[in-house]
Amino acid sequence: MPELPEVETTVRGLAPVLEGRRLVSVEARRADLRRPFPPDLRQRLTGATVTGLGRRAKYGLINTDRGDTLVFHLGMSGRWRIDPAELGTHDHVIVETDAGSRLALNDPRRFGSLDLVPTGDLTLYPPFAALGPEPLAEGFNVTQLRAALAGRSAPIKAMLLDQRIVAGLGNIYVCEALHLAGIAPGRAAGSIGGGRLARLVDSVKEVLLAAIAAGGSSLRDYARPDGELGYFSKQWRVYGREGEACHCGRAVRRRVDSGRSTFFCPACQR
Ligand SMILES: [Zn+2]
């Protein structure tokens, strides 16, 4: 499933193809993904020029000179294909630029979304309304995190997955950051001291930046003739490594809570 680093990599890959380009053709080949597309998607985008791209949590943002922002979410299986040799049944939205590039939003499982929001109203867009700070921005820091967790007895892992506390973190990067910080996933959030919280903040930023850097090397995939974007696979510290040795020698454990796996080292994390 695309997480924040994959979305960031996607935005960085789309930027050189879209920035400053006029959209000469926009075609939706179905009416919806997880929810209906805006009915006026085609009219509002056709002829518009892309002025910039960005990201908020796990959403990609494409701004146009008409004051609209195309907000996309890749769901479970979404990706943008650049200049695909041919279109397939899962290419649901096709965009062509005045430079002759063709982009296809491909999403076999259709859990993604595509919305068009006035750029000035983005903070009112319902998925963004209650979002906490971006984990890579200065607003995510030990002071903010300590205030958000004060008095909370819920497990720290659940708190980091709460989008109101910090935006865009998913299961993989929370497991990885907790391991890097040496904090047990089940530890009561409000009981973690300031020094360890500071290390947790640094760890969250570090695992995300490392994943984005690894993804950067796959950006060339955008130019491949088949247009496939190869989501980078990474050797995780603990994620997906149940039974394998942690760097300390102990076996990585997996626990399942409400259908979600938590990977951790019982020796390094406390
Ligand atoms: Zn360990």
Side-chain angles (χ1 to χ4, degrees):
M1 178 191 326
E3 289 214 32
L4 186 153
E6 287 83 0
V7 179
E8 179 68 28
T9 300
T10 296
V11 166
R12 292 182 188 187
L14 290 174
V17 180
L18 285 177
E19 235 159 20
R21 304 309 338 177
R22 198 164 59 85
L23 307 180
V24 295
S25 165
V26 177
E27 178 199 357
R29 302 169 90 200
R30 53 179 298 119
D32 60 6
L33 285 174
R34 184 171 52 192
R35 51 178 178 267
F37 294 139
D40 53 357
L41 183 76
R42 179 185 197 157
Q43 296 90 313
R44 278 164 74 183
L45 287 180
T46 304
T49 295
V50 174
T51 53
L53 289 90
R55 179 189 56 74
R56 176 72 167 124
K58 288 185 238 181
Y59 291 81
L61 310 174
I62 301 172
N63 301 319
T64 77
D65 63 346
R66 290 182 181 165
D68 285 323
T69 296
L70 183 66
V71 183
F72 67 84
H73 192 284
L74 298 173
M76 304 286 287
S77 58
R79 67 206 164 102
W80 284 96
R81 302 171 72 209
I82 298 180
D83 293 328
E86 53 189 45
L87 296 175
T89 49
H90 302 302
D91 292 319
H92 305 305
V93 177
I94 317 299
V95 175
E96 291 177 13
T97 76
D98 60 350
S101 300
R102 182 162 70 164
L103 304 176
L105 179 59
N106 182 284
D107 189 351
R109 298 182 64 182
R110 304 202 305 261
F111 282 105
S113 66
L114 204 59
D115 289 309
L116 207 44
V117 181
T119 306
D121 293 342
L122 270 180
T123 55
L124 305 175
Y125 177 58
F128 293 174
L131 281 184
E134 283 292 317
L136 292 173
E138 287 182 8
F140 178 60
N141 57 54
V142 66
T143 307
Q144 176 267 340
L145 188 60
R146 187 160 41 193
L149 301 182
R152 305 292 296 266
S153 56
I156 182 63
K157 188 190 173 205
M159 293 289 90
L160 291 177
L161 288 170
D162 184 334
Q163 305 294 299
R164 295 166 295 186
I165 289 174
V166 55
L169 291 187
N171 197 36
I172 294 174
Y173 295 99
V174 167
C175 288
E176 294 293 295
L178 285 169
H179 182 263
L180 182 58
I183 297 173
R187 164 84 43 192
S191 74
I192 302 169
R196 301 183 78 207
L197 281 185
R199 195 158 155 222
L200 179 56
V201 168
D202 289 346
S203 298
V204 165
K205 294 176 192 280
E206 188 176 329
V207 297
L208 292 175
L209 288 171
I212 291 168
S217 63
S218 72
L219 286 184
R220 70 175 69 90
D221 291 346
Y222 278 97
R224 280 190 347 209
D226 60 3
E228 298 289 330
L229 164 61
Y231 284 122
F232 43 91
S233 58
K234 188 165 156 50
Q235 185 55 56
W236 308 113
R237 304 170 64 88
V238 285
Y239 191 83
R241 295 191 52 209
E242 181 183 17
E244 293 177 38
C246 172
H247 60 73
C248 74
R250 286 282 290 276
V252 170
R253 284 201 195 150
R254 179 168 79 110
R255 197 174 56 216
V256 181
D257 312 294
S258 24
R260 213 198 287 263
S261 288
T262 298
F263 296 89
F264 63 104
C265 171
C268 294
Q269 295 174 253
R270 57 192 175 78

